Amino acid sequence: INLKEGMGMKRIYFVLTYSGTILGKIIQFKTKRLYTHVSISLDENLTKMYSFSRLHPYNCFVGGFVHEKQNEGSFKRFKNTKAMICYIEITNYQYEKLEQEILKFKKNRTIYKFNTLGLLYILFNKRIYRKNYFYCAEFIKYVLNNANVNIRLPEMPRPENFEMLKNAKVIYTGLLNDYKYEKLELLNAS
């Protein structure tokens, strides 16, 4: 029995990445930060990883809600994607609410679009609200808020805000394709 789960706590993971896409290079140039994208994962093996990004690896103009996979899609195309993975602990109740929020996006994925305009505005510290449009950090803030997980993100969240979370514990930095949770457990056990 996992004592943490018995005490009513679960981990959620933030996966910060930089893949070297044209948009990523623009964001990196403007923000002066290494990571330009953030995803949320409901498990340590990143099988339940979600964000707003390009829908097709070779088309950067069409984006929306995506179930991202570590070695598939855009992350397969961009094999040298750099990553930082950290986690926070939330209650079982918050975790269930978060799953429900993400399920709403999965069921209604066709109505959600990538907020390209919002992303451009935020680079200049301006905000634009468009119903059913999200960029990566905006989506994560939205689902966390609706699951009553308050991690004090700014009004206009950016990927780097997840790098600097007060209670987050970094468990990995390196190439995303090299990440294996089992390896980390073995290293920590020795």
Side-chain angles (χ1 to χ4, degrees), residues 30-92:
K30 182 72 176 139
T31 64
K32 309 290 188 250
R33 305 296 298 193
L34 175 58
Y35 304 107
T36 58
H37 179 67
V38 63
S39 311
I40 187 169
S41 181
L42 302 179
D43 69 310
E44 65 275 356
N45 294 312
L46 311 183
T47 59
K48 299 177 188 175
M49 181 166 60
Y50 306 97
S51 193
F52 266 70
S53 186
R54 59 175 68 198
L55 294 174
H56 308 286
Y58 292 93
N59 184 343
C60 64
F61 297 107
V62 180
F65 174 76
V66 287
H67 180 177
E68 294 178 312
K69 299 197 175 153
Q70 184 180 356
N71 293 300
E72 293 181 24
S74 293
F75 291 135
K76 181 178 181 181
R77 178 176 175 212
F78 300 99
K79 293 181 186 341
N80 292 321
T81 296
K82 295 175 182 142
M84 180 181 99
I85 301 171
C86 60
Y87 73 83
I88 62 169
E89 292 185 336
I90 61 175
T91 66
N92 284 338

Side-chain angles (χ1 to χ4, degrees), residues 75-150:
F75 291 135
K76 181 178 181 181
R77 178 176 175 212
F78 300 99
K79 293 181 186 341
N80 292 321
T81 296
K82 295 175 182 142
M84 180 181 99
I85 301 171
C86 60
Y87 73 83
I88 62 169
E89 292 185 336
I90 61 175
T91 66
N92 284 338
Y93 174 77
Q94 290 170 319
Y95 186 89
E96 288 170 20
K97 292 277 290 170
L98 186 57
E99 280 184 314
Q100 290 168 8
E101 285 301 313
I102 290 172
L103 185 60
K104 288 178 194 174
F105 278 85
K106 281 172 131 174
K107 286 182 175 178
N108 301 297
R109 72 175 57 230
T110 57
I111 68 167
Y112 297 109
K113 306 289 182 228
F114 186 76
N115 193 2
T116 310
L117 195 55
L119 186 60
L120 294 173
Y121 267 64
I122 197 167
L123 290 176
F124 297 98
N125 294 316
K126 304 237 184 271
R127 183 155 199 257
I128 183 170
Y129 173 77
R130 300 167 71 200
K131 186 178 180 183
N132 297 329
Y133 282 76
F134 295 89
Y135 57 87
C136 59
E138 190 175 38
F139 157 72
I140 295 172
K141 178 180 177 172
Y142 179 86
V143 293
L144 289 174
N145 282 348
N146 286 349
N148 300 317
V149 178
N150 183 3

Side-chain angles (χ1 to χ4, degrees), residues 145-158:
N145 282 348
N146 286 349
N148 300 317
V149 178
N150 183 3
I151 56 173
R152 297 191 178 139
L153 291 169
E155 185 65 30
M156 297 180 294
R158 298 174 183 220

